[in-house]
Every structure is written in C-alpha cells, then in structure tokens.
C-alpha cells in the first residue's frame, strides 16, 4: 500500500485519484468545520462552490455556513467556524457549506474510489478508516489561495506517521516523509505554529483565533466524514 501527499488541490492529477482513497485536508478550516458539524448532529454537509448555490439550497431544514477570504457572508447562519458549530446541536439539519478553498478541493477529486475528510481533530480515525479499505491513499492538502498551507502539511505528516506506525509495510512518498518529520518536530507546539502560519495569521487578523486553537486538537473527535453523491455523510464505522 502506498501513501502519496499532494501539496495543493491545484497539484491533483487523474493518477492521484483513479482507484485510490483520497483524504482531503483543509485544517483551517473547511475539514475541521465538516468534522465538527457531523459531530454536532447535522445529518449531512453539502459543499457548494458559490454563494448563489448556497442561497438556492436554503430551506427550513438547512443551515448555511461559509466564508470568503475569512469574511462572513451576508445572511448566512454561520461563518466557516468549527467552534461556533461545536457549541450548538443541530440534530437532523443539513449544512450547506461554501468556502474559499476547501469546498472546491472536494469537488475536484469527486471521481476518487473513496473520499474522506481529514484534519487534526480526526486524524487517527480518518487514516485508519482509509487504511482499512486497502487501496493506495492520496493525502490532498487543500492549500491556501493556490499555495501550500503548513497546517495541512503537518496534518498529512501526522497521518503518514500513524499509518507507518500501524503498518510498517506502508510505503510513503518523499513529501510524506518530510512532512512526517516536520510534524514530529513541531507537535509539542502545534497550536503556536498554526497561529503563525499564513492562514493562521489571516484568521487572527479576522478575530478567529479561537478556531485555530480548536483545530489544533489532535484526535479530539472520532468522526470520519465521507463523500457520497455530492454530499458528506458520517461513516457508519465512526
């Protein structure tokens, strides 16, 4: 079994998807928001590319969440904030989510064999679920505005480390090896490193510091979201 890490969604090519299990990683904040939403009782999350698509799906059973360049969207119920969703239960509701980068990443890899949503919050549960399917795995870092995002890479490094620890025969690419080493070095100060990453600094400027601390919690939740027919649902084994 092989694990390959892709630095940004722009770097995804057909060979990284076909016949493979793909884990989308957008730590700050789409992946963390999706994991938290399903933990908080939402029946599903529907990622959409545009604000107009989100408005069109508004109904008595839906909640709208999202952002554009960290800013809240007019008439939406929530920003793309996992801490806000964690504080309130939404049993049976359906979340409509649009973000600057994360939702676009999900749509780009929709032809993969299986698609899971990963972050620090569910890192062990997510990679274990992916390994159980016995396909080669692609860790797709969403990135930020077309560039590599440190927080996504560190989460990929953590997942690669967990996979190698559980299954020493797993082969990881050079980038996965490098990111694993980075994670192991920075793990004791993970929250502080996320605060000073490019995305982290933007979130601090927009007063979303609480989200950064929340998203830096390793294995805080045991939720494994998967993509099915353009919706994100809770894996039955979570």
């Amino acid at each position: 079994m092989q694990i390959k890490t892709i630095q940004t969604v722009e770097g995804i090519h057909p060979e990284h998807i076909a016949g493979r299990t793909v884990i989308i990683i957008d730590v700050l904040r789409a992946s963390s928001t999706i994991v938290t939403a399903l933990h908080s009782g939402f029946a599903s999350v529907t990622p959409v590319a545009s604000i107009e698509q989100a408005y069109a799906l508004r109904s008595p059973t839906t909640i709208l969440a999202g952002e554009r360049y960290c800013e809240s969207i007019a008439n939406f119920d929530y920003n793309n904030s996992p801490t806000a969703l964690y504080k309130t239960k939404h049993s049976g509701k359906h979340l409509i989510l649009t973000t600057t980068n994360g939702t676009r990443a999900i749509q780009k890899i929709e032809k993969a064999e299986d698609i899971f949503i990963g972050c620090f919050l569910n890192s062990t549960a997510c990679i274990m679920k992916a390994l159980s399917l016995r396909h080669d795995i692609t860790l797709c870092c969403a990135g930020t505005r077309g560039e590599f995002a440190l927080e996504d890479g560190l989460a990929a490094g953590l997942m690669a480390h967990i996979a190698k620890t559980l299954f020493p025969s797993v082969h990881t690419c050079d980038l996965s090896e490098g990111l694993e080493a980075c994670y192991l070095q920075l793990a004791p100060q993970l929250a502080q490193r996320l605060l000073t990453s490019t995305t982290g600094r933007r979130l601090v400027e927009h007063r979303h510091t609480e989200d950064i601390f929340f998203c830096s919690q390793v294995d805080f939740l045991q939720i494994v979201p998967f993509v099915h027919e353009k919706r994100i649902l809770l894996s039955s084994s979570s």
Side-chain angles (χ1 to χ4, degrees), residues 1-4 160 163-164 170-174 176-177 180:
M1 191 183 307
Q2 296 181 335
I3 295 178
K4 184 173 184 62
K164 288 168 60 180
V170 167
H171 174 74
T172 53
C173 69
D174 287 352
S176 301
E177 294 276 335
E180 177 191 10

Side-chain angles (χ1 to χ4, degrees), residues 14-114:
E15 63 267 27
H16 303 142
I17 299 171
R20 300 176 71 96
T21 296
V22 178
I23 299 177
I24 285 287
I25 303 171
D26 188 354
V27 171
L28 298 175
R29 295 170 285 172
S31 290
S32 301
T33 294
I34 291 165
V35 169
T36 305
L38 292 175
H39 170 80
S40 298
F42 281 97
S44 70
V45 179
T46 300
V48 297
S50 72
I51 296 171
E52 291 72 23
Q53 286 174 300
Y55 285 139
L57 292 172
R58 172 164 266 160
S59 77
T61 63
T62 62
I63 299 290
L64 271 56
E67 51 78 25
R68 282 297 180 272
Y69 303 106
C70 300
E71 296 283 0
S72 298
I73 300 172
N75 300 316
F76 269 44
D77 302 289
Y78 290 101
N79 192 288
N80 176 28
S81 172
T83 54
L85 292 174
Y86 185 74
K87 294 173 182 177
T88 306
K89 294 298 181 183
H90 296 87
S91 298
K93 295 283 188 178
H94 301 273
L95 186 68
I96 311 301
L97 179 67
T98 182
T99 70
T100 305
N101 203 51
T103 49
R104 180 172 59 89
I106 294 167
Q107 292 174 335
K108 186 169 182 179
I109 50 87
E110 62 185 1
K111 293 183 179 179
E113 189 75 17
D114 299 280

Side-chain angles (χ1 to χ4, degrees), residues 103-154:
T103 49
R104 180 172 59 89
I106 294 167
Q107 292 174 335
K108 186 169 182 179
I109 50 87
E110 62 185 1
K111 293 183 179 179
E113 189 75 17
D114 299 280
I115 304 169
F116 297 111
I117 310 298
C119 56
F120 287 115
L121 297 174
N122 71 337
S123 50
T124 297
C126 190
I127 192 63
M128 287 183 66
K129 178 65 178 177
L131 289 165
S132 73
L133 300 180
R134 301 189 178 279
H135 298 297
D136 289 338
I137 297 169
T138 297
L139 304 176
C140 178
C141 300
T144 177
R145 304 184 187 182
E147 297 181 350
F148 173 72
L150 176 63
E151 62 276 1
D152 297 345
L154 292 175

Side-chain angles (χ1 to χ4, degrees), residues 125 129 222-225 233-238:
K129 178 65 178 177
Q222 302 302 310
I223 299 298
V224 183
L233 307 172
L234 180 60
S235 171
S236 59
S237 63
S238 297

